[in-house]
Amino acid sequence: MKVLLVNGSPHQNGCTYTALSEVAGAIEQDGIETEILWVGKDVKCCSDCGVCRGTGRCAFDGDIVNEFIDKAKDADGFVFGSPVYFAAASAQLAAMCNRVFYASGDIFDGKPAAAVASCRRTGISSTLDQIQKYFTIAAMSIIGSQYWNGVHGNTPDEVRQDEEGMQTMRTLGHNMAHYIKTQVAAGIARPVPELDKRTNFIR
């Protein structure tokens, strides 16, 4: 069993990484492997070229997207983290998610996911809402904690001083591990999906 954590910050070892590391530590305490992937600073935006519809992979190589898709196929859970920029997720994480979920949304079906946001002061709720929309359209189960999944601080050291935020991260990790263990152990098959129906309102 494994959980992939995505660091959507342009800073590889900054505040978002500090929060995700706390989540990962709790998951590993419960016996589940973790891996933190850094999105990086340069992520291409989706061009709606349509190539992925036939391949399940993005036509653009050279950044994290196809590497993540390959790893996600065998992962049991996901945590997507981002700093708060203008009450929203980072452009890098949004660009990655647009391409990943468009190219291979079916590989996430039924798997648990959580969003984590890091901010200096505010904007966490709207950022979490933005990230979680990817989960709901991919039929994922959203994992929560004891409070909104966020930490406060302008530096990693300040984030570590946010005792409630760090506790929230640990609780999130334990909740994620519990969900994965109980669902995998149950062995219940997912519902068979209906064939897609699309309704265009302008004809």
Side-chain angles (χ1 to χ4, degrees):
M1 294 181 289
K2 184 173 183 178
V3 174
L4 287 181
L5 300 95
V6 180
N7 177 7
S9 172
H11 302 287
Q12 187 171 5
N13 298 301
C15 296
T16 303
Y17 173 79
T18 304
L20 291 175
S21 295
E22 198 74 1
V23 179
I27 294 172
E28 291 181 353
Q29 281 181 11
D30 292 338
I32 295 177
E33 182 184 355
T34 67
E35 181 179 358
I36 299 177
L37 296 176
W38 181 45
V39 171
K41 296 185 177 182
D42 299 311
V43 183
K44 288 182 179 293
C45 296
C46 180
S47 67
D48 193 23
C49 67
V51 171
C52 64
R53 292 178 191 147
T55 65
R57 293 173 61 81
C58 185
F60 295 133
D61 270 320
D63 59 22
I64 191 70
V65 170
N66 284 325
E67 177 188 348
F68 176 80
I69 289 173
D70 290 339
K71 290 177 180 288
K73 293 174 182 177
D74 297 321
D76 300 291
F78 304 88
V79 182
F80 291 78
S82 176
V84 173
Y85 293 152
F86 292 95
S90 71
Q92 290 87 351
L93 183 66
M96 174 192 163
C97 287
N98 286 344
R99 290 164 57 200
V100 164
F101 282 87
Y102 194 61
S104 297
D106 57 330
I107 66 177
F108 300 104
D109 182 54
K111 294 181 179 180
V116 166
S118 168
C119 75
R120 182 190 69 84
R121 188 170 179 84
T122 191
I124 282 178
S125 295
S126 53
T127 301
L128 296 178
D129 180 60
Q130 177 189 354
I131 299 171
Q132 288 172 169
K133 283 185 170 66
Y134 294 102
F135 308 158
T136 57
I137 203 169
M140 304 179 83
S141 297
I142 298 176
I143 305 300
S145 185
Q146 66 197 48
Y147 201 69
W148 309 127
N149 298 340
V151 296
H152 292 80
N154 210 32
T155 66
D157 284 340
E158 290 181 1
V159 168
R160 284 187 280 267
Q161 293 176 52
D162 178 9
E163 294 184 6
E164 183 176 358
M166 295 300 270
Q167 185 180 63
T168 300
M169 295 300 103
R170 293 191 296 274
T171 301
L172 173 61
H174 292 309
N175 288 349
M176 173 67 75
H178 175 75
Y179 184 94
I180 291 172
K181 286 182 175 182
T182 55
Q183 291 300 304
V184 171
I188 300 173
R190 292 281 297 153
V192 177
E194 296 183 16
L195 295 177
D196 284 347
K197 295 187 181 298
R198 291 180 174 269
T199 301
N200 297 320
F201 294 104
I202 300 175
R203 300 181 180 274

